[in-house]
Amino acid sequence: MWTRKSRDCISRVAVTLVGYSVLLAFALIFIFLLWQVWPLFQPAKISVQSLESASVTMVDSYSVQSTNGHTATHPLMLDNGLDERVQLQADGYFQWYLRVGDDWQLQMQGHLGLASWQAATMLSGSRTLLVADKNAQVYSWFRLHQELIVRPRITLRQMELQALIPVSADSFFSLHPGQLDWYHVTTGKHLAELQLPDTPLQQLQLSEDRQLMRLHWGPDHSQAYQLQWQHPAVAGGQLWSAVHYEGRREAAYVWQTAAAADDSNPRLSLIPLTSGTLKAAGYAMLFATPLAILAAVFTAFYLPERWRYRTRATMEMLESMPTVILGFIAAFLLAPWLEQQLMLFFVLLVLVPTVLVLCSALWFHWRQRQQQQAEQPGAVLVLSLVAGILTAFMLAPALEHAWFDDSLLLWLAGQGIDYQQRNALIIGMAMGLAVIPSIFSLTEEVVSQVPASLTQGVLALGASRWQTLSSMVLPVAAPGILAAVLLGLGRALGETMILIMATGNTPLLGFDPFEGMRTLTASLALEMPEAAVGSSHLKVLLLAALLLLVLTFLINTLVSLLRQRIRQRYLQL
Amino acid sequence: MQTTVQTTMQTKVAIHEFSLWLQHQQVLDAIELSIPANQVTALIGPSGCGKSSLLRAMNRMNELMLDCRSQGQVLLDGQNIYQSETDVARLRCRVGMVFQKPNPFPKSVYDNVAFGLRLQGQRSRRRLDEQVESALKQVGLWSEVKNRLHHNALTLSTGQQQRLVIARAIALQPEVLLLDEPASALDPISTLKVEELIYELKAAYTVVIVTHNMQQAARISDYTAFLNQGRLVEWAETHTIFTQPASQQTEDYITGRFG
Amino acid sequence: MRQWWQQGSPWVWFSASALLVCLGLFMALLGLIAVKGMHHFWPAPLVQFQLTEQSRPQLGRLVRSVSDRAERKDRAYRLVDRGDLIVDASSQLPGRYLLLEAHQLLSDRPKQAVWVQLQDGRTFYGKQVGQETAPSDAGLWLDLGMAAPVLISAVEIRAYWLPNQLSFRQKGAVFWQEWRYFLTASPSQNQSAGGIFPAIFGTLVMVLLMAVLVTPFGILAAIYLHEYAPKNWLTQLIRTSVYNLAGIPSVVMGVFGLAFFVYVLGGSLDRLFYADQLPAPTFGTPGLFWAALTLALLTLPVVIVATEEGLSRLPQAQRLASFALGATQAETIWKVVAPQAAPAMLTGLILAIARAAGEVAPLMLVGVVKSAPQLPVDTQFPFIHLERKFMHLGYHLYDVGFQSPDAEVAMSLVYAIGLVLLTLILLLNLSAFFLRQRLRRKYRLID
Ligand SMILES: Nc1ncnc2c1ncn2[C@@H]1O[C@H](COP(=O)(O)OP(=O)(O)OP(=O)(O)O)[C@@H](O)[C@H]1O
Ligand SMILES: [Mg+2]
């Protein structure tokens, strides 16, 4: 007896444990990603370093002269520690030099457009010149070849400025009486501040990696600080806003990983990738939704039971078609074909529905003449579909000849429209095919489960089958169909292989059908293995993964809710 | 309203002040009932009055329902089965139960009957064979299925399935057998067979049966209890209940004026 | 006309055509892969061509016709593959593939034309010198259209035939032989020749390992949710969430696998148990085990959903019957419930396997490589090398298609790989389908 009881107990404990561990594993996905992503949003901090780490050598030191020290007429010589140097006059006249070999060559000269200024500096290791005017406005310029490009102004928090001190390639300190402020140049954000004693500061030293700072107020009064700013590439809000990076003419959304960037500073805006994902999913849905819903409605409502069953089984099987195959077909078969036959594609798109409408009208008319019920005949339909397609094949070259001088592509190029071989149309079709089975299956399910009592009631009133469908069945099944579309959308958002293979993978903004894109998923698959552990790049990728996870999870939850709702609705009927 | 029954019979199950709540709704209200040993006791009453619940109370099957709470005592041979130290599995071996719809496992006839025995640790093939045979013989199924012992039980007819399920229960040699409308899903011939079976069973077991069929209750039971809306209205020897019921409700129910 | 519109006639036509178009597209796709994949192994005739009027005729395989619409319509080219080149300083050959004009092709197809593939995967087309139909002991003398015939020694030859002489049945035999070779050999020549055995093997081993991981967890988790967990809104919420996880993007799971399993778990394992081999990582790098674990996590919801469906289909009466016979909950679950839900569990498992076999994106992150020097299972202790990288059919397809230096061979090879992958997944799905079919029938019997 005891053994039976204990076996029961063991089973309960074991199963419960496994159940918990599985649930925990699922929860862990969310928790782990959140935990990894969290540091991205940590603000910068300057904190007192109590332990004096003497071993760290300070490489850059800045002597702070007394206030108004440099208002004298002598020109100020600034350099970035590498190869650029600017000589700045008190009246705003500047000369910009570049080091070539051992001597300094004048690159450009001119006037900054400021009548007077308080302090100026060059950011270390970059080509940016910072100048603060009397109103505590910090202007930043950088040299692009022979041109001076201006970036957004930064308004300092305090008027009385003692010095501007470069910290890194895109951040600087502004030293005020009793306070040190830390600013980010690219986004203009105030990063952190440090209250200082009233004694005038004499010297500021920075370590090579910019993690340590030591301030000297006198020969035996100094203090070390830690500068904490783990992810400068994203912390200023670069993820979602347009940023004017050095070396670019204007603010933009840029996805450029460290490996691809010219100065190894990654530019990590998620906007291009997100827009790519939305664009790809959008075109796929545009292609798949009408086809799948119409096909499903027809299957559920018109096909005889046997055929309905077969179609459904086929579609279920197609749902598990590996997308790598679809992607390959899209990239190597569809893309070259579409480039050659773009005209045919558009003609098909217009002509086939037109021919269908015409044929159906003719057929209807003819049957009425014959005093017969206008039933829907399979053979005639197939014939007219084939006829439509064939006509399109015949018409397309002629139309292309007549309208576009034999080449639609050249004509498009003439209009300034860039046609890329791997573009959104290709994705629309290939990924559309991938999501059709999902949308189809669910739509078919909800439409065919509409209680028969409902349809029979309407049919009994003398409505045609389509009228029954559109007036009764579809409104009742609408939440279910919405769920099906959302299910497809969720799948399209998360699809990867097709997108890696057939998009061209260039991060482009916008919804141009003839251009490719780079999606979140493709970036994840392609860049994750290369991103260094702990880097901002990796963390941003994890953030992208978390976004996708949450988004698809929400969509799926919505799908579940809608399905539950439709089930209840059917039970009530 | 209680009629005291003068009986020399020994009481097998005594239900004492027993109340039951299912999903916060009171289903049984202070039931006071004793089930005499080696007799057939019938529970009758309108639908939803709590007959099945009372039956399930006797082997603690109610606990498998959602949100169940009970109060009071059920004494089996003087032992309260609602004590916390009761071994429920053991209890259910002593108090067997058969349901309204036959529910054989989708296993062979043999395995169905041997299921409970094997759980009890019976491993000897020979002993199993004997016990299965005797159980099947007791329900009169042996001659019908002895050639198909290893066929799937679901291939039997409904009546055979019901008798098989009874065999499955009595193979464990329970002391009490609870039957919840055992014949309601059966055709008249099978019903008759099951009724005969119950009549024979009382020699060895204490039987409690729920039925909606007054004739059936009159035919096979020795005692009858009438329940209404979770209360025990009347309990007496069957012929007393059917000939001179003490309560108006009982009379109305038996004569078919309500329920 | 009004009536025509009111009765919805055009919409019926549209929806019927939509169904036709959907099915047609899919069938065209499958047909295309089947035909092209098969075609890859069908011995193609060899043709003769001349680069100039004077030059000696050479042999080649007609790949396809090319018409460049952008240029001029009337000009059609033929793309001819003349096999791997034996580098010869004296001949300045432009490359393996030639774009020829129609008149450069000669009409006669020499009977002596030989297709020969070496063990290392190189393929040559040439004319056999001498009349013997089999290579002599020394080897095969081939006239490759260059100065002197070349001797290819017999040991180097993997396969050879004379395609222009083969009858249909002989071609069929060659076809099957080549298929067998394809399925059982390792890739050579930078993936563009040889077989795909390591990829098939890698896929199978990974999927089996995944099945071993996912089965107990999926089934027990489902049993927990359905049989043990308290029946309240929280359980319902958890259940819905688990079901929703079935739809999360696979690449996200790959990301999690890489960032957590490989970097965090693998890194710690290395520090604990393989410290002597650091900094060279053992488990701190993508590999078979992590891939299987990641896919197991990905397919866990599939198994849970299917198992729970099976459990909830089981009539409550079965459980009650078991309890009434004095069974404990464990006995009820393991002796009555689980055996009856087993087909549902199996269906879920097969669906999970089918899904895992077709997934590529997460594997790119957690362990698949374009060519693995060793198989993940071999005769050396401990026989299954969980830390090894492996090859995978789906990734192999991607790799051959996109990274192969020889685009033309890759193009037709990829169809063959696709065909194998598709067949595998189709078989798995079909078996799940029929299993479910049987399951439904069985439950109809109980109800
Ligand atoms: N699982 C349950 N949860 C909540 N209420 C229940 C449950 N099972 C039964 N009840 C309620 O308990 C009451 C008694 O039910 P019970 O099944 O015992 O009636 P019965 O007398 O057997 O009826 P019948 O003759 O129809 O079988 C009914 O009102 C019923 O609604
Ligand atoms: Mg009942």
Side-chain angles (χ1 to χ4, degrees):
Chain A
M1 272 303 104
W2 187 83
T3 50
R4 273 182 71 199
K5 231 176 174 173
S6 61
R7 244 180 278 151
D8 184 38
C9 207
I10 290 170
S11 158
R12 166 183 292 271
V13 170
V15 172
T16 309
L17 270 182
V18 172
Y20 278 167
S21 63
V22 165
L23 298 181
L24 207 70
F26 285 137
L28 189 69
I29 301 175
F30 287 87
I31 296 169
F32 175 77
L33 287 179
L34 258 180
W35 174 62
Q36 286 283 307
V37 161
W38 191 249
L40 280 181
F41 302 102
Q42 289 281 303
K45 240 178 19 204
I46 307 178
S47 54
V48 176
Q49 176 90 347
S50 49
L51 283 174
E52 194 68 14
S53 40
S55 59
V56 181
T57 47
M58 299 291 177
V59 291
D60 290 299
S61 73
Y62 301 89
S63 313
V64 181
Q65 296 123 5
S66 61
T67 329
N68 307 335
H70 50 263
T71 47
T73 47
H74 68 80
L76 187 66
M77 196 57 113
L78 305 165
D79 71 75
N80 70 349
L82 287 174
D83 56 350
E84 306 246 350
R85 175 181 279 186
V86 174
Q87 192 177 6
L88 190 60
Q89 311 277 357
D91 58 359
Y93 189 79
F94 73 95
Q95 284 170 313
W96 202 302
Y97 298 91
L98 174 70
R99 184 160 71 192
V100 181
D102 272 346
D103 42 68
W104 295 93
Q105 282 185 2
L106 182 67
Q107 290 295 309
M108 59 181 303
Q109 54 184 329
H111 199 274
L112 285 177
L114 292 176
S116 61
W117 47 273
Q118 282 194 68
T121 190
M122 265 194 104
L123 290 179
S124 35
S126 82
R127 291 188 305 235
T128 297
L129 171 70
L130 293 177
V131 179
D133 72 0
K134 299 276 192 228
N135 299 324
Q137 302 280 321
V138 175
Y139 296 81
S140 70
W141 288 273
F142 61 85
R143 187 179 65 81
L144 189 66
H145 309 298
Q146 310 288 311
E147 228 182 307
L148 213 55
I149 311 260
V150 60
R151 284 204 274 180
R153 246 185 301 160
I154 301 165
T155 309
L156 296 182
R157 291 194 162 186
Q158 286 199 350
M159 286 299 281
E160 205 178 326
L161 180 67
Q162 286 177 317
L164 291 179
I165 299 162
V167 178
S168 64
D170 61 353
S171 72
F172 68 92
F173 286 145
S174 65
L175 183 64
H176 308 280
Q179 186 164 339
L180 187 71
D181 279 319
W182 192 8
Y183 290 94
H184 188 217
V185 177
T186 328
T187 57
K189 248 181 94 166
H190 178 258
L191 295 172
E193 62 183 33
L194 180 67
Q195 298 298 330
L196 300 178
D198 284 338
T199 353
L201 183 70
Q202 289 191 343
Q203 207 184 29
L204 184 150
Q205 290 179 312
L206 289 167
S207 68
E208 167 101 55
D209 58 1
R210 294 329 195 222
Q211 305 234 330
L212 273 182
M213 165 174 84
R214 188 176 296 143
L215 300 181
H216 297 270
W217 287 272
D220 41 43
H221 182 195
S222 75
Q223 172 68 51
Y225 294 90
Q226 203 177 5
L227 300 183
Q228 282 171 318
W229 195 24
Q230 288 168 312
H231 300 287
V234 285
Q238 293 99 314
L239 282 179
W240 302 110
S241 50
V243 173
H244 193 168
Y245 289 107
E246 186 184 275
R248 290 184 171 261
R249 288 187 184 277
E250 65 223 336
Y253 303 102
V254 193
W255 177 264
Q256 212 171 39
T257 58
D262 40 0
D263 53 1
S264 88
N265 278 327
R267 277 110 207 236
L268 304 171
S269 171
L270 281 177
I271 295 278
L273 303 186
T274 312
S275 97
T277 291
L278 292 180
K279 175 180 171 184
Y283 277 95
M285 295 309 286
L286 217 57
F287 178 79
T289 314
L291 272 182
I293 290 184
L294 283 176
V297 164
F298 185 80
T299 309
F301 218 65
Y302 287 92
L303 277 191
E305 176 62 32
R306 248 159 78 98
W307 281 99
R308 207 184 89 194
Y309 179 72
R310 284 180 192 170
T311 315
R312 207 165 47 191
T314 314
M315 278 292 181
E316 253 169 48
M317 216 138 292
L318 289 173
E319 199 170 349
S320 63
M321 172 127 82
T323 49
V324 66
I325 288 180
L326 280 173
F328 156 73
I329 298 277
F332 292 115
L333 202 86
L334 202 57
W337 178 84
L338 192 69
E339 194 178 28
Q340 300 268 310
Q341 303 284 355
L342 190 61
M343 188 66 197
L344 175 60
F345 174 76
F346 286 119
V347 174
L348 272 174
L349 217 57
V350 176
L351 202 63
V352 171
T354 321
V355 169
L356 278 177
V357 170
L358 277 180
C359 285
S360 101
L362 284 178
W363 173 255
F364 191 82
H365 222 69
W366 185 69
R367 297 291 290 197
Q368 278 207 325
R369 277 275 180 73
Q370 310 248 313
Q371 302 287 318
Q372 277 164 320
Q373 255 285 292
E375 65 192 50
Q376 312 297 339
V380 176
L381 188 135
V382 175
L383 274 182
S384 50
L385 191 62
V386 171
I389 294 172
L390 285 184
T391 334
F393 266 89
M394 287 190 301
L395 264 180
L399 287 179
E400 192 167 11
H401 180 76
W403 292 347
F404 303 112
D405 195 16
D406 258 356
S407 170
L408 179 56
L409 280 192
L410 287 180
W411 183 84
L412 280 177
Q415 305 292 310
I417 298 172
D418 177 31
Y419 182 90
Q420 297 175 350
Q421 201 195 40
R422 293 179 183 171
N423 56 39
L425 292 179
I426 301 290
I427 291 302
M429 285 191 268
M431 203 155 75
L433 270 189
V435 297
I436 278 179
S438 319
I439 304 181
F440 178 93
S441 298
L442 191 50
T443 309
E444 204 272 345
E445 191 186 315
V446 290
V447 172
S448 65
Q449 280 175 359
V450 170
S453 55
L454 207 67
T455 53
Q456 269 153 15
V458 182
L459 278 174
L461 291 176
S464 75
R465 280 187 84 76
W466 185 266
Q467 281 162 339
T468 316
L469 193 64
S470 59
S471 68
M472 209 60 223
V473 177
L474 291 184
V476 169
I481 297 177
L482 183 62
V485 172
L486 285 175
L487 189 73
L489 181 67
R491 221 186 137 182
L493 288 175
E495 175 48 47
T496 312
M497 283 323 280
I498 297 177
L499 296 167
I500 292 181
M501 296 167 103
T503 56
N505 287 321
T506 341
L508 296 170
L509 270 177
F511 290 84
D512 186 337
F514 300 127
E515 274 182 349
M517 77 279 307
R518 185 185 187 94
T519 63
L520 290 168
T521 49
S523 276
L524 287 177
L526 296 174
E527 293 168 18
M528 266 301 280
E530 271 116 60
V533 177
S535 65
S536 308
H537 182 201
L538 186 84
K539 293 217 182 293
V540 171
L541 287 176
L542 291 177
L543 176 67
L546 184 64
L547 274 181
L548 276 174
L549 180 63
V550 171
L551 195 63
T552 45
F553 190 80
L554 286 182
I555 288 179
N556 283 323
T557 308
L558 211 57
V559 171
S560 305
L561 287 180
L562 285 170
R563 290 183 77 165
Q564 215 166 323
R565 173 136 172 232
I566 195 116
R567 215 170 299 140
Q568 275 166 5
R569 189 182 275 195
Y570 286 171
L571 281 181
Q572 281 165 11
L573 288 170
Chain B
M1 276 287 161
Q2 289 288 323
T3 329
T4 32
V5 181
Q6 282 79 35
T7 172
T8 51
M9 294 288 169
Q10 179 197 353
T11 298
K12 185 72 188 174
V13 182
I15 300 169
H16 187 59
E17 285 287 322
F18 189 83
S19 302
L20 180 80
W21 290 263
L22 286 176
Q23 295 187 339
H24 311 290
Q25 180 198 341
Q26 185 156 22
V27 172
L28 294 179
D29 185 7
I31 301 285
E32 191 77 50
L33 177 69
S34 35
I35 311 280
N38 290 71
Q39 298 288 325
V40 177
T41 305
L43 299 180
I44 59 170
S47 188
C49 69
K51 304 181 297 290
S52 302
S53 305
L54 181 59
L55 207 62
R56 286 196 299 261
M58 288 183 242
N59 66 349
R60 287 181 63 172
M61 289 286 276
N62 278 321
E63 284 165 23
L64 302 173
M65 310 274 153
L66 271 182
D67 254 338
C68 151
R69 189 167 67 82
S70 61
Q71 213 177 55
Q73 293 182 329
V74 176
L75 305 170
L76 177 64
D77 286 339
Q79 282 284 324
N80 184 8
I81 63 171
Y82 279 85
Q83 278 166 341
S84 54
E85 63 262 28
T86 310
D87 181 347
V88 181
R90 178 86 202 94
L91 167 72
R92 290 184 189 140
C93 291
R94 292 174 63 196
V95 184
M97 183 160 187
V98 172
F99 301 85
Q100 182 172 1
K101 258 186 163 175
N103 53 359
F105 302 125
K107 305 174 181 231
S108 71
V109 172
Y110 183 95
D111 287 339
N112 262 286
V113 183
F115 182 85
L117 297 168
R118 287 194 172 124
L119 289 183
Q120 297 306 316
Q122 182 60 263
R123 287 280 173 276
S124 147
R125 180 81 204 182
R126 206 172 43 79
R127 293 277 302 138
L128 272 181
D129 283 349
E130 280 171 13
Q131 283 171 307
V132 168
E133 185 179 337
S134 92
L136 285 173
K137 275 183 174 152
Q138 278 191 64
V139 299
L141 203 58
W142 177 249
S143 56
E144 288 163 62
V145 300
K146 68 171 180 243
N147 296 324
R148 331 190 259 164
L149 275 182
H150 296 283
H151 288 212
N152 193 328
L154 294 172
T155 58
L156 299 181
S157 75
T158 320
Q160 288 172 325
Q161 285 186 12
Q162 190 64 305
R163 279 182 288 151
L164 173 69
V165 169
I166 297 175
R168 188 172 67 178
I170 63 180
L172 284 169
Q173 294 173 332
E175 300 157 28
V176 181
L177 196 57
L178 309 174
L179 305 169
D180 192 350
E181 301 181 43
S184 67
L186 306 183
D187 63 296
I189 308 272
S190 307
T191 306
L192 210 65
K193 283 191 179 167
V194 171
E195 283 181 11
E196 279 169 13
L197 171 61
I198 293 169
Y199 200 77
E200 287 159 16
L201 286 177
K202 80 174 181 187
Y205 311 101
T206 303
V207 178
V208 186
I209 178 172
V210 169
T211 179
H212 275 279
N213 185 334
M214 292 308 120
Q215 284 74 37
Q216 192 174 56
R219 273 199 301 273
I220 59 176
S221 68
D222 306 304
Y223 293 86
T224 298
F226 173 62
L227 275 80
N228 196 7
Q229 293 184 340
R231 292 167 186 278
L232 181 69
V233 177
E234 188 170 351
W235 173 70
E237 281 176 28
T238 302
H239 73 93
T240 321
I241 288 251
F242 278 88
T243 51
Q244 39 196 359
S247 123
Q248 185 60 39
Q249 274 184 51
T250 318
E251 189 174 347
D252 287 352
Y253 181 72
I254 288 168
T255 52
R257 259 173 265 160
F258 90 95
Chain C
M1 217 54 193
R2 256 238 336 265
Q3 208 185 347
W4 167 73
W5 180 257
Q6 272 179 356
Q7 293 205 355
S9 186
W11 287 106
V12 179
W13 282 55
F14 271 155
S15 54
S17 322
L19 180 62
L20 283 177
V21 167
C22 284
L23 290 178
L25 281 176
F26 277 115
M27 292 310 131
L29 191 71
L30 297 181
L32 188 85
I33 292 170
V35 167
K36 289 216 167 187
M38 291 289 183
H39 182 75
H40 183 69
F41 299 105
W42 191 256
L46 296 177
V47 295
Q48 265 190 317
F49 63 88
Q50 268 180 318
L51 288 178
T52 60
E53 292 282 332
Q54 288 79 32
S55 64
R56 288 186 61 190
Q58 295 182 19
L59 282 168
R61 184 176 60 89
L62 200 59
V63 181
R64 60 192 155 92
S65 309
V66 181
S67 62
D68 196 348
R69 282 189 66 229
E71 220 174 83
R72 268 182 39 206
K73 275 194 169 162
D74 48 343
R75 212 135 129 208
Y77 297 95
R78 306 278 189 281
L79 187 70
V80 172
D81 160 29
R82 51 177 168 167
D84 284 290
L85 307 172
I86 292 179
V87 182
D88 183 352
S90 65
S91 62
Q92 286 150 353
L93 297 165
R96 177 167 179 169
Y97 293 92
L98 297 174
L99 209 52
L100 300 177
E101 291 185 42
H103 67 83
Q104 289 178 298
L105 291 176
L106 303 181
S107 55
D108 71 316
R109 295 178 170 182
K111 287 256 178 282
Q112 290 308 99
V114 179
W115 185 103
V116 55
Q117 192 170 51
L118 305 191
Q119 298 289 3
D120 62 9
R122 280 182 301 164
T123 313
F124 299 109
Y125 312 129
K127 251 185 281 185
Q128 192 175 10
V129 181
Q131 289 302 312
E132 316 89 279
T133 46
S136 61
D137 295 342
L140 181 69
W141 282 97
L142 266 193
D143 176 5
L144 293 174
M146 286 179 297
V150 197
L151 175 71
I152 300 175
S153 73
V155 287
E156 271 190 275
I157 297 177
R158 177 188 74 76
Y160 110 107
W161 56 80
L162 300 120
N164 293 357
Q165 292 188 15
L166 293 179
S167 69
F168 187 79
R169 286 187 56 176
Q170 284 169 322
K171 282 186 178 177
V174 169
F175 176 76
W176 287 121
Q177 174 198 326
E178 284 301 285
W179 258 116
R180 254 213 332 270
Y181 174 70
F182 183 64
L183 294 179
T184 53
S186 296
S188 53
Q189 286 290 86
N190 234 332
Q191 324 275 22
S192 59
I196 53 170
F197 178 71
I200 297 179
F201 188 75
T203 310
L204 291 181
V205 169
M206 190 273 297
V207 156
L208 281 182
L209 192 58
M210 180 219 76
V212 167
L213 290 171
V214 82
T215 312
F217 282 98
I219 289 176
L220 290 183
I223 288 182
Y224 168 71
L225 277 181
H226 199 265
E227 305 286 329
Y228 282 118
K231 297 193 174 25
N232 54 21
W233 61 270
L234 187 65
T235 309
Q236 193 52 40
L237 187 77
I238 289 175
R239 176 176 293 127
T240 318
S241 305
V242 170
Y243 285 18
N244 288 343
L245 283 175
I248 71 164
S250 57
V251 70
V252 170
M253 210 50 104
V255 168
F256 176 73
L258 181 64
F260 184 72
F261 293 148
V262 177
Y263 291 159
V264 176
L265 278 189
S268 329
L269 276 182
D270 273 2
R271 253 169 281 128
L272 285 176
F273 301 110
Y274 298 92
D276 48 329
Q277 284 168 29
L278 284 174
T282 309
F283 278 102
T285 176
L288 177 65
F289 182 66
W290 301 131
L293 197 60
T294 305
L295 286 195
L297 201 56
L298 181 69
T299 52
L300 207 49
V302 179
V303 178
I304 295 180
V305 170
T307 308
E308 266 219 86
E309 196 198 316
L311 293 177
S312 57
R313 264 166 188 274
L314 189 69
Q316 191 64 21
Q318 293 281 316
R319 291 187 185 84
L320 291 182
S322 168
F323 280 120
L325 289 171
T328 59
Q329 191 169 16
E331 284 160 348
T332 306
I333 289 173
W334 297 113
K335 296 217 163 99
V336 175
V337 176
Q340 293 191 54
M345 299 172 187
L346 199 58
T347 311
L349 185 62
I350 295 177
L351 285 180
I353 288 179
R355 169 138 192 228
E359 281 297 349
V360 181
L363 295 179
M364 288 169 75
L365 303 180
V366 288
V368 87
V369 282
K370 54 191 294 174
S371 93
Q374 296 151 310
L375 292 178
V377 175
D378 60 20
T379 51
Q380 270 172 11
F381 186 79
F383 310 118
I384 297 184
H385 302 274
L386 293 176
E387 77 289 352
R388 278 191 193 162
K389 298 198 169 34
F390 62 101
M391 287 178 73
H392 181 270
L393 263 183
Y395 185 73
H396 192 58
L397 191 153
Y398 166 72
D399 182 60
V400 169
F402 279 77
Q403 258 106 41
S404 175
D406 188 342
E408 287 301 332
V409 170
M411 271 318 85
S412 72
L413 190 61
V414 157
Y415 285 103
I417 303 173
L419 185 59
V420 174
L421 181 61
L422 211 56
T423 315
L424 189 78
I425 286 171
L426 208 67
L427 284 181
L428 284 170
N429 271 298
L430 276 178
S431 56
F433 178 76
F434 284 113
L435 207 66
R436 212 163 1 166
Q437 215 59 4
R438 275 198 40 201
L439 194 68
R440 295 226 168 106
R441 264 205 298 277
K442 200 171 140 193
Y443 280 122
R444 214 166 292 150
L445 205 65
I446 292 181
D447 294 342

